Each structure stands twice: as structure tokens, then as C-alpha cells.
Amino acid sequence: MRAVLAAIEERKRAFARHPFFAFLQDESLAPEERLAFYPCIAHWIMSFADLNKHFLRVEGPADVHQERVNRYTREDDDHWRLYVEDFRKLGFERFRTGADWLSFLWGEETRANRMLSYRIAHLVMGASSVQRLAIVESMEEAANVFFPLTLRLAERIQERTGTELRYLGHFHFNLEAEHTGAGDHEALARVELDDLAR
């Protein structure tokens, strides 16, 4: 697994260089302007709950790797509620009606976000428990790029308006920090993988 973890770290560094993250750090824009993307990730966030419950998690007797995956999925079961809460607090409900939101979320502009959910579901379906751990680790590392940046934006909004954004801010960030994720990296690195699994 050591090689897989190194590959995840390498991809994480490349991911962090994506222009989107530079946009989130652009101090010439107000925090609310930088959070204009927020509705675009609704499909991913809402699908993530289903990925956890219906794809990653396997109930019943499980090996130690699947038990780690199951623990991770249970910790994230209801984070989507925080997303919806911040959606309301940021005022996005006033921009579109229900049907307009559906057209937008399933429109061409947000296709990449939808495809992410489906691609991960496809990967998980044929994955072993140890491969599921690697998938979880990949998602956690992506979150470790995203959430420190949104945390700063949420802090600025709270300082100015008094509105606490719990998904984008400290509340969710602290939940993620306490997350078991895939497990500690040292233990993961010791997991032996054959070439096919790797």
C-alpha cells in the first residue's frame, strides 16, 4: 500500500494546483463571490451519502479493512445535512425554484460533478476491502485540499455577518479532523498488495 499512498499524495499535490483552488484564495473577490460555486457541488455532496451507505459500506462479517471503511462511512452519514444548512444560509434558495434547480443540477454545466459520483460508484462496485480503503483515503486527501480553503472563507463571512457556516467552516472541519478516514498511514503503508490489487 505504500506505493498507493505515495501515488495518492502525488495526485493530491497536483489537485491542489487546480485553478479552482487559486480562485478560492483570490483576495480580490469577496468570500461570497468565491462561494458562488456552492450549488454546483450539490449532486456530489448528496450522492456522497449514498456512496457511503450503499456502495462503500458492507454490512455483516467483514475483514479489518472493510471494518475501517464501514466506520468511515458511518462518520460521514449525515454531513449532507450541514451542506443543505449552509446552502440556505448563503441564500441560494432565492436564485432558483425547485424545477430550475433540478434543470441546473442535471444540466451540462454540472455534468462533471455528477460523473464523479458515478465513477466512484463504478470503482467501488468491483473493489476489494483494501481497495475501498484506498478509495476512502483518496477522497479524504481531496477533502484536505478543499476544506482548509473554505474554512477561511467561512471565518470571514462569520466575522462580518455573524452567520456560522457549519459545512464550510469549523464545525465540519473539526468533524473531518476527528475522522478515522481510512486509518493511520503507518498501518495502511504496511498493508501488502499484489500487483493486480495495486
Side-chain angles (χ1 to χ4, degrees):
M1 183 70 95
R2 193 173 308 279
V4 173
L5 293 175
I8 291 170
E9 183 60 32
E10 181 182 322
R11 296 282 177 97
K12 175 186 173 183
R13 286 193 300 271
F15 182 59
R17 291 190 298 270
H18 191 280
F20 173 67
F21 300 115
F23 168 75
L24 290 183
Q25 297 174 78
D26 184 351
E27 291 295 327
S28 71
L29 301 170
E32 291 84 355
E33 290 176 286
R34 288 180 266 169
L35 292 176
F37 74 90
Y38 196 69
C40 298
I41 64 171
H43 188 279
W44 163 248
I45 302 305
M46 303 308 278
S47 295
F48 189 70
D50 283 341
L51 284 169
N52 281 329
K53 290 177 189 172
H54 306 297
F55 290 84
L56 283 165
R57 188 180 306 160
V58 177
E59 300 295 356
D63 63 25
V64 65
H65 306 305
Q66 188 61 53
E67 286 174 9
R68 284 184 190 166
V69 171
N70 289 352
R71 189 167 48 251
Y72 163 82
T73 65
R74 286 188 182 92
E75 289 175 0
D76 265 359
D77 263 354
D78 61 355
H79 291 197
W80 65 270
R81 294 176 198 278
L82 299 171
Y83 173 83
V84 171
E85 178 183 310
D86 282 5
F87 190 95
R88 287 186 178 117
K89 286 179 179 178
L90 288 166
F92 287 112
E93 288 182 311
R94 71 180 185 268
F95 293 117
R96 298 177 191 264
T97 64
D100 290 339
W101 274 121
L102 291 174
S103 295
F104 173 74
L105 291 173
W106 271 266
E108 194 56 31
E109 300 93 339
T110 58
R111 183 181 60 80
N113 289 297
R114 294 191 312 278
M115 294 303 108
L116 176 62
S117 306
Y118 305 139
R119 286 182 181 130
I120 290 176
H122 177 74
L123 286 173
V124 171
M125 290 303 291
S128 68
S129 60
V130 73
Q131 290 168 329
R132 288 169 189 238
L133 271 178
I135 292 168
V136 165
E137 183 65 19
S138 297
M139 292 189 297
E140 284 293 295
E141 290 302 331
N144 289 339
V145 172
F146 177 74
F147 284 113
L149 299 176
T150 66
L151 172 66
R152 286 191 279 253
L153 297 173
E155 286 173 337
R156 300 251 321 268
I157 289 171
Q158 186 167 359
E159 287 168 7
R160 198 179 71 251
T161 68
T163 300
E164 180 188 11
L165 299 173
R166 295 193 325 146
Y167 183 80
L168 295 168
H170 281 282
F171 185 84
H172 189 217
F173 188 82
N174 291 337
L175 289 177
E176 290 297 317
E178 296 167 4
H179 224 307
T180 59
D184 80 63
H185 283 185
E186 284 185 38
L188 279 175
R190 290 191 300 270
V191 173
E192 294 292 327
L193 297 176
D194 60 26
D195 290 343
L196 181 60
R198 190 170 32 263

